[in-house]
């Protein structure tokens, strides 16, 4: 990355590289102050008037259940959360909007004008797996500064973790075959960038989305669509134009007209060094076998076969025995393969009785029927392994961590006294996910419906300070 080319000073360039872990580029992000629900601000106003806004508080992000049939969840979006926390500030335009709409009073506006998060955030490291009840993120500070983060944190984690979970299932089904993320045209343009990032966390190798490549350093790929073939007078003309421009290693799309004829023409044009052919329709299992046989007969034994066409993890698994070299996935990925959210919540679990920094924390929890109960107290989490080192339980507790679990704790420090300390490169996050998934029982990657692959156990103790 040449930061001078971006118009950055040397100091700004170093900061950009530091933030992105050496990959991708730092892109200006507007204030995230209004990525919130109105009641966060009205609660703030009421708490300021009541004198309770400064009480030390602990909020936790967790989910009560996994999407139906899923065996594990995937933490994704943590890096984006850290960016959002850093960029949550109320500038003149935002304050003017709040004043004009009379959403909060002048006292609250003055408080917001000086807002910067100064608390601590702990969480599961990005790429880690999680289960029902896992304290995925813990936010600590005054009630006032923590409550403002609720909506934006949930917005990011619920979306990105849903995409990453789908991506993880797909990458497990694909095995060693690479996956291409290509869902930009199937979702909101900004969601597409976040989805590409989450897919990379979940095990995808590349993306077609250039904005994701620019921002996060994800490898990008892409050659041509059916429109390019239809533009030319003949399929041969289209293939020749593409090879002349992109070289023999390009990927030619062979299902615009007749697949067998297209494969023959592709090899005649590019020769046996043709990089790949792409199949986007039809019975992919049958067509892939026929194309592989034809390519081999034509001497293009190293030409790869890429398949696309509304794939999901089940379709990918069904192609395991087919001579396919890579998969391109769009719609099902960016919609979470049927589960576009993780149903994560952000709940107050402990608070002090006063604004005194030394006041002890007391556990608090909502009492509710209908499956919406919560467990109070600031929590730790550890994953207990069996004698062979495979995870056997997610242990969540309050108070002291049992000695036998001390080396298996999951939460790491992300923000300390308002300063981000847990930013990582995306490649490190991706590697962590692959390792975390490998540490689960083998049934974790089964696509048949089932319960979470390990149970969550609770250890109750004092909430701690």
């Amino acid at each position: 990355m040449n930061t001078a080319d971006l118009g950055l000073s040397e100091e700004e360039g170093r900061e950009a590289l530091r933030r992105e872990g050496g990959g991708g580029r730092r892109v200006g992000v507007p204030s995230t102050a209004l990525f919130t629900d109105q009641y966060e601000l009205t609660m703030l106003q009421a708490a300021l008037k009541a004198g309770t806004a400064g009480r030390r508080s602990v909020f936790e992000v967790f989910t009560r259940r996994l999407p139906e049939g899923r065996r594990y969840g995937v933490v994704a979006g943590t890096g984006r959360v850290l960016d959002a926390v850093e960029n949550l500030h109320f500038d003149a335009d935002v304050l003017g909007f709040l004043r004009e709409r009379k959403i909060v009073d002048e006292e609250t506006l003055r408080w917001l004008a000086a807002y910067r998060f100064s608390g601590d955030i702990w969480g599961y490291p990005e790429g880690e797996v999680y289960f029902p009840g896992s304290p995925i993120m813990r936010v600590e500070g005054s009630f006032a500064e923590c409550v403002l983060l609720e909506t934006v944190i949930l917005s990011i984690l619920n979306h990105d973790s849903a995409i990453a979970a789908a991506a993880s299932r797909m990458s497990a089904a694909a095995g060693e075959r690479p996956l291409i993320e290509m869902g930009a045209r199937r979702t909101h343009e900004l969601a597409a960038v976040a989805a590409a990032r989450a897919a990379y966390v979940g095990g995808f190798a590349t993306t077609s989305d250039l904005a994701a490549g620019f921002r996060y350093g994800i490898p990008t790929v892409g050659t041509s669509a059916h429109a390019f073939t239809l533009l030319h007078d003949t399929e041969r003309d289209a293939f020749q134009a593409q090879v002349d421009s992109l070289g023999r290693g390009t990927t030619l799309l062979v299902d615009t007209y007749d697949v067998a004829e297209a494969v023959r023409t592709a090899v005649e044009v590019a020769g046996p060094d043709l990089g790949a052919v792409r199949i986007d329709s039809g019975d992919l299992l049958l067509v892939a076998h026929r194309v592989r046989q034809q390519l081999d007969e034509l001497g293009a034994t190293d030409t790869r076969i890429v398949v696309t066409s509304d794939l999901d993890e089940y379709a990918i698994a069904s192609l395991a025995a087919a001579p396919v070299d890579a998969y391109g996935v769009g719609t099902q990925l960016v919609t979470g393969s049927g589960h576009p959210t993780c149903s994560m919540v952000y709940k107050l679990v402990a608070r002090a009785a006063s604004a005194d920094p030394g006041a002890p924390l007391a556990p608090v929890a909502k009492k509710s029927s209908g499956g919406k109960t919560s467990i109070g107290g600031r929590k730790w989490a550890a994953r207990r392994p069996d004698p062979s080192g495979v995870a056997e339980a997610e242990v969540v507790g309050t108070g002291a961590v049992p000695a036998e679990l001390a080396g298996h704790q999951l939460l790491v420090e992300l923000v300390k006294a308002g300063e981000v300390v847990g930013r990582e490169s995306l490649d490190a996050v991706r590697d962590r996910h692959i390792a975390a998934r490998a540490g689960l029982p083998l049934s974790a990657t089964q696509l048949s419906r089932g319960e979470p692959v390990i149970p969550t156990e609770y250890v109750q103790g004092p909430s701690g300070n």
Side-chain angles (χ1 to χ4, degrees):
M1 169 180 173
N2 186 345
T3 55
D5 291 343
L6 303 179
L8 300 178
S9 68
E10 184 177 351
E11 181 178 353
E12 290 171 329
R14 284 196 299 268
E15 173 65 8
L17 287 168
R18 182 190 67 77
R19 289 189 46 160
E20 295 297 343
R25 301 174 186 248
R26 182 177 182 180
V27 177
V29 178
S31 168
T32 52
L34 295 184
F35 292 172
T36 190
D37 294 303
Q38 181 168 314
Y39 77 175
E40 314 291 10
L41 299 188
T42 53
M43 282 192 289
L44 168 65
Q45 176 176 304
L48 288 171
K49 287 187 177 298
T52 53
R55 289 185 175 185
R56 192 158 58 104
S57 301
V58 179
F59 286 83
E60 288 177 353
V61 176
F62 62 93
T63 185
R64 297 182 176 94
R65 64 191 65 83
L66 297 178
E68 184 180 358
R70 295 288 171 89
R71 304 297 182 90
Y72 61 92
V74 181
V75 179
T78 306
R80 296 206 309 121
V81 167
L82 298 181
D83 289 343
V85 171
E86 283 189 329
N87 285 285
L88 205 159
H89 55 85
F90 293 80
D91 58 26
D93 288 342
V94 170
L95 294 169
F97 166 78
L98 297 175
R99 180 179 289 110
E100 178 185 345
R101 295 290 183 92
K102 296 182 171 56
I103 292 173
V104 291
D105 60 19
E106 288 299 322
E107 178 188 356
T108 306
L109 289 172
R110 287 192 294 273
W111 189 93
L112 291 172
Y115 177 82
R116 289 293 188 280
F117 181 72
S118 64
D120 302 327
I121 300 178
W122 291 70
Y124 278 38
E126 190 166 14
E128 184 57 85
V129 297
Y130 70 86
F131 298 92
S134 296
I136 296 163
M137 188 167 285
R138 190 176 73 213
V139 182
E140 304 184 32
S142 70
F143 174 85
E145 62 181 342
C146 294
V147 76
L148 294 183
L149 301 180
E150 175 179 4
T151 304
V152 70
I153 286 178
L154 289 179
S155 175
I156 293 170
L157 292 181
N158 268 312
H159 173 270
D160 289 24
S161 296
I163 305 304
S168 179
R169 285 162 60 86
M170 292 173 188
S171 68
E176 297 299 316
R177 298 172 178 176
L179 290 158
I180 307 163
E181 186 282 315
M182 46 196 306
R185 63 190 60 196
R186 300 293 190 236
T187 188
H188 185 281
E189 65 272 18
L190 298 181
V193 181
R197 183 187 183 280
Y200 193 69
V201 170
F204 274 57
T206 55
T207 180
S208 67
D209 190 282
L210 290 177
F214 176 82
R215 178 155 192 163
Y216 297 117
I218 301 170
T220 58
V221 295
T223 52
S224 68
H226 292 103
F228 185 78
T229 301
L230 296 169
L231 168 68
H232 292 80
D233 296 335
T234 68
E235 195 167 45
R236 179 180 294 274
D237 289 344
F239 289 172
Q240 189 67 62
Q242 186 173 326
V243 170
D244 288 346
S245 175
L246 302 178
R248 296 178 185 274
T250 191
T251 299
L252 296 176
L253 181 59
V254 294
D255 71 329
T256 305
Y257 305 118
D258 178 84
V259 172
E261 182 61 30
V263 171
R264 184 179 304 108
T265 302
V267 176
E268 288 175 358
V269 169
D273 294 330
L274 173 62
V277 296
R278 178 162 75 94
I279 307 166
D280 188 50
S281 60
D283 183 337
L284 296 179
L285 179 62
L286 176 63
V287 175
H289 277 286
R290 288 177 174 173
V291 169
R292 181 72 271 160
Q293 180 179 355
Q294 186 180 10
L295 287 170
D296 291 346
E297 290 172 350
L298 293 171
T301 55
D302 293 329
T303 299
R304 295 172 296 114
I305 297 175
V306 180
V307 296
T308 53
S309 184
D310 270 344
L311 299 177
D312 61 10
E313 59 266 49
Y314 300 100
I316 291 168
S318 73
L319 292 167
V324 171
D325 298 286
Y327 307 91
V329 189
T331 303
Q332 292 302 317
L333 175 68
V334 298
T335 57
S337 196
H339 297 289
T341 182
C342 301
S343 300
M344 293 180 187
V345 295
Y346 182 96
K347 296 298 181 184
L348 180 67
V349 297
R351 54 89 174 167
S354 73
D356 182 348
L361 290 170
V364 294
K366 172 184 177 181
K367 293 183 178 180
S368 175
S369 59
K372 283 196 170 185
T373 56
S374 302
I375 297 175
R378 178 209 269 148
K379 299 175 192 68
W380 49 264
R383 189 162 300 141
R384 187 176 68 234
D386 66 14
S388 63
V390 177
E392 67 175 10
E394 192 88 340
V395 185
V396 177
T398 58
V401 180
E404 66 273 16
L405 294 176
H408 302 287
Q409 295 187 72
L410 293 164
L411 276 75
V412 298
E413 196 167 26
L414 300 170
V415 176
K416 182 175 183 178
E419 294 295 323
V420 172
V421 296
R423 188 172 274 110
E424 300 178 286
S425 73
L426 202 54
D427 283 331
V429 170
R430 187 174 184 271
D431 291 344
R432 175 182 295 116
H433 174 64
I434 301 303
R437 189 177 66 193
L440 298 176
L442 288 176
S443 57
T445 56
Q446 291 179 349
L447 296 181
S448 58
R449 294 187 179 276
E451 297 300 314
V453 70
I454 59 174
T456 303
E457 300 176 359
Y458 292 96
V459 177
Q460 290 288 104
S463 64
N465 291 323

